[in-house]
Amino acid sequence: MLQKYDERNSDLRYWVNGELLHRDQPGLSPFDSVVQGGDAVWEGLRLYRGAIFGLHEHLARLRRSATALNFADIPGDDEIVTAVTATLQANDMYDGVHVRLTLTRGVKVTSGMDPRLNTAGPTLIVLAEHKPPVYDTSGLRLATASVRRPGPDVLDPKIHHANLLNSILAKIEATAAGADDALMLDQRGFVAETNATHLFAVAGGGLVTPATVACPEGITRETVLSLAASAGIPTTVRDVSLIEMYNADEVFCTGTMGEIAGVTVIDGRTIGGGEVGAVTGRVAKLYQEHAAANGVRLGLEPVAG
């Protein structure tokens, strides 16, 4: 599974602290904290027919993460929404769009790790791309990585930070193993998530998902748990072993960029009947309908033609 370049993004413009730049124009200082040390927080947003689902929840998580990292002068929600809206309008975007929202600690007066060198305030970056859900809906192949997800004693996963080397190393292993993504364990050996998404197992008609001990508090994950409960599908949040995943009736992953995607193979083991199962399909339909109907509208106009 490799994302493909979309020609519609050839002339897109992105936002950096109030300025809209062409994708080929550099917009970040080499002194910016995200360049110097990955010192930034981020969120992924999805645009459905002029509305962003879970916008307030994503902005709240961004703020929690920035607060935990002791960022100064964190921009307000209205300021961020204005930047997102302006970026989408500049690119005539209305539907089928993924937005990567990044807030860095900002530009340093000189290279160094010390946050006291940051005197200019945070840098806000908005990158919007035409991008449908990125996963193959016919079923994903996962391979368990040797790289583990750290717990809060190493780097608390509740900080949605932009230093993704842990995930990238796991992704490299998965690619070498011929898999689409990596399944990652926590330091105790229980399932955490994939390198990019949360995981659910289907067993006995109900959903089981790992606790957020070594993975972020997922917006899509929480939505699935809520929708499933409302639909009468039992849900359980607890430690989950890898063997339970092998023996599940179905497995699927969740995330803003990929929505709901079924998993059919883990470490060479066929999951269930080897096809995307009925419960996964039902959850995916519930989520897609809910997300499309419950977004925050931004006053965007449909694109002609």
Side-chain angles (χ1 to χ4, degrees):
M1 182 205 69
L2 179 64
Q3 294 184 50
K4 296 180 179 179
Y5 171 70
D6 191 323
E7 286 288 349
R8 293 176 298 172
N9 296 321
S10 61
D11 285 316
L12 66 80
R13 298 170 72 193
Y14 69 102
W15 172 288
V16 180
N17 276 2
E19 188 174 5
L20 283 162
L21 303 170
H22 187 273
R23 63 173 294 157
D24 294 335
Q25 287 180 268
L28 280 180
S29 166
F31 289 97
D32 196 279
S33 292
V34 72
V35 178
Q36 296 258 329
D39 188 3
V41 297
W42 70 282
E43 292 292 326
L45 312 173
R46 180 161 285 283
L47 181 71
Y48 297 88
R49 294 191 290 279
I52 291 179
F53 175 68
L55 176 60
H56 297 309
E57 291 83 353
H58 280 285
L59 293 182
R61 187 171 67 175
L62 184 83
R63 185 170 303 281
R64 291 195 301 270
S65 297
T67 298
L69 289 175
N70 201 28
F71 280 17
D73 303 320
I74 302 169
D77 287 2
D78 288 347
E79 181 179 344
I80 296 174
V81 171
T82 296
V84 171
T85 303
T87 304
L88 294 170
Q89 289 174 332
N91 291 292
D92 293 325
M93 290 172 166
Y94 184 75
D95 190 31
V97 173
H98 180 266
V99 180
R100 188 176 181 93
L101 181 66
T102 305
L103 184 70
T104 87
R105 194 182 297 274
V107 177
K108 295 177 176 292
V109 295
T110 186
S111 296
M113 188 182 300
D114 193 334
R116 291 175 296 180
L117 298 173
N118 293 82
T119 60
T123 301
L124 179 64
I125 306 164
V126 183
L127 175 62
E129 296 179 89
H130 294 285
K131 183 174 291 191
V134 298
Y135 290 116
D136 184 350
T137 56
S138 65
L140 302 178
R141 302 173 64 89
L142 302 182
T144 302
S146 64
V147 179
R148 298 292 181 95
R149 274 282 189 247
D153 59 328
V154 177
L155 181 57
D156 197 321
K158 290 180 176 59
I159 302 173
H160 205 239
H161 57 83
N163 190 325
L164 301 179
L165 286 178
N166 182 256
S167 296
I168 292 168
L169 288 168
K171 178 69 172 179
I172 290 170
E173 283 193 31
T175 301
D180 297 302
D181 264 346
L183 186 152
M184 300 184 71
L185 307 177
D186 66 21
Q187 296 292 330
R188 303 167 301 153
F190 289 106
V191 174
E193 58 174 348
T194 77
N195 56 276
T197 58
H198 290 90
L199 280 166
F200 282 79
V202 179
L207 306 184
V208 181
T209 191
T212 54
V213 175
C215 60
E217 300 169 303
I219 310 300
T220 309
R221 172 184 177 276
E222 286 299 319
T223 302
V224 166
L225 287 170
S226 176
L227 291 173
S230 297
I233 303 172
T235 62
T236 304
V237 179
R238 59 170 173 80
D239 287 335
V240 180
S241 74
L242 184 57
I243 302 305
E244 289 182 272
M245 285 290 181
Y246 292 160
N247 289 293
D249 299 321
E250 304 173 33
V251 173
F252 62 86
C253 54
T254 66
T256 301
M257 187 179 284
E259 298 181 334
I260 314 299
V263 175
T264 52
V265 177
I266 302 176
D267 296 335
R269 279 83 162 176
T270 299
I271 306 303
E275 297 179 349
V276 176
V279 176
T280 299
R282 183 184 177 194
V283 170
K285 187 172 186 295
L286 287 170
Y287 177 80
Q288 290 159 1
E289 290 175 348
H290 180 78
N294 290 278
V296 176
R297 304 205 67 82
L298 301 180
L300 304 171
E301 296 294 331
V303 179

